[in-house]
């Protein structure tokens, strides 16, 4: 299966989910992330702003802000280029490119080397730590610039044995589903 076929399979599976099936998953993802030692130690947390059927990140962002963590979110600059901006409140979000919310213009930039813990979206992931995005390369290019702990949030329906990758595709340190946490940074097993 190539990348396009894998994306199509994952999207078909997610399209079949009812709103009731998705309800509460954001909180389940949040609880798994909050329990991770890497998150607990992190001072600066990078987190995508979920849209449509992506795993809901807003419960985690609310909690991280309430805990006094420094939170930053992605901003698409141009095709394939993304940076992170400081997010001080969800009420500050403004519409961005591709209908994705973003922190407001004027919010300080946060460089990848300042980030301790990153929450990354996916279309699908593999149980081997592989991640398949939407295909524009925004996150892979961004991840190449930092060495922070990387966690992909993945609906269980989109977690496969493996997903097709290219040499430039960045692997995850952990994959979180509502049911489990899989580590790929040398730790044994799953949480």
């Amino acid at each position: 299966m190539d990348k396009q076929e894998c994306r199509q399979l994952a999207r078909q599976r997610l399209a079949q989910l009812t709103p009731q099936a998705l309800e509460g998953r954001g909180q389940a993802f949040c609880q798994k992330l909050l329990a991770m030692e890497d998150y607990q130690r992190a001072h600066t947390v990078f987190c995508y702003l979920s849209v449509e059927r992506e795993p809901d990140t807003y419960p985690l962002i609310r909690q991280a802000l309430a805990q006094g963590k420094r939170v930053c979110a992605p901003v698409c600059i141009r095709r394939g280029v993304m940076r992170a901006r400081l997010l001080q409140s969800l009420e500050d979000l403004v519409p961005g490119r591709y209908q994705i919310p973003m922190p407001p213009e004027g919010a300080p930039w946060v460089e990848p080397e300042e980030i301790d813990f990153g929450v990354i979206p996916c279309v699908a992931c593999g149980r081997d730590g592989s991640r398949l995005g939407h295909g524009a390369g925004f996150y892979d290019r961004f991840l190449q610039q930092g060495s922070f702990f990387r966690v992909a949030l993945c609906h269980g329906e989109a977690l496969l044995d493996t997903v097709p990758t290219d040499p430039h595709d960045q692997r995850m340190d952990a994959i979180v589903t509502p049911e489990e946490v899989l580590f790929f940074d040398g730790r044994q097993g799953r949480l």
Side-chain angles (χ1 to χ4, degrees), residues 98-134:
Y98 312 107
Q99 309 306 314
I100 300 171
M102 65 178 199
E105 290 219 18
W109 294 111
V110 178
E111 299 305 326
E113 58 268 15
E114 299 174 61
I115 298 169
D116 303 309
F117 187 88
V119 181
I120 313 300
C122 70
V123 174
C125 280
R127 289 186 168 277
D128 58 356
S130 54
R131 173 193 164 270
L132 182 64
H134 290 281

Side-chain angles (χ1 to χ4, degrees), residues 32-33 35-47 112-120 142-143 146-153 171-176 181-187 191:
K32 294 271 191 258
L33 290 164
M36 296 176 73
E37 289 180 21
D38 300 275
Y39 168 82
Q40 293 168 9
R41 285 193 305 263
H43 173 67
T44 301
V45 175
F46 170 84
C47 188
E113 58 268 15
E114 299 174 61
I115 298 169
D116 303 309
F117 187 88
V119 181
I120 313 300
F142 183 77
L143 292 171
S147 59
F148 52 88
F149 192 85
R150 302 127 189 252
V151 179
L153 298 190
R171 298 187 69 74
M172 298 294 103
D173 295 311
I175 295 172
V176 173
V181 178
L182 304 171
F183 288 101
F184 307 99
D185 65 344
R187 288 179 236 191
L191 183 66

Side-chain angles (χ1 to χ4, degrees), residues 3-74:
K3 285 185 173 186
Q4 277 309 108
E5 292 168 332
C6 189
R7 285 186 187 102
Q8 185 175 3
L9 172 66
R11 287 179 179 137
Q12 286 172 346
R13 287 182 176 183
L14 294 178
Q16 295 173 2
L17 294 175
T18 65
Q20 294 81 9
L22 291 170
E23 189 175 329
R25 285 194 183 188
Q27 196 58 44
F29 281 110
C30 180
Q31 293 307 315
K32 294 271 191 258
L33 290 164
L34 292 176
M36 296 176 73
E37 289 180 21
D38 300 275
Y39 168 82
Q40 293 168 9
R41 285 193 305 263
H43 173 67
T44 301
V45 175
F46 170 84
C47 188
Y48 74 95
L49 297 158
S50 55
V51 295
E52 298 173 1
R53 290 182 172 256
E54 290 180 329
D56 182 4
T57 56
Y58 292 89
L60 175 69
I61 294 169
R62 279 187 203 91
Q63 189 66 34
L65 290 169
Q67 292 174 330
K69 291 191 183 286
R70 187 172 178 236
V71 177
C72 57

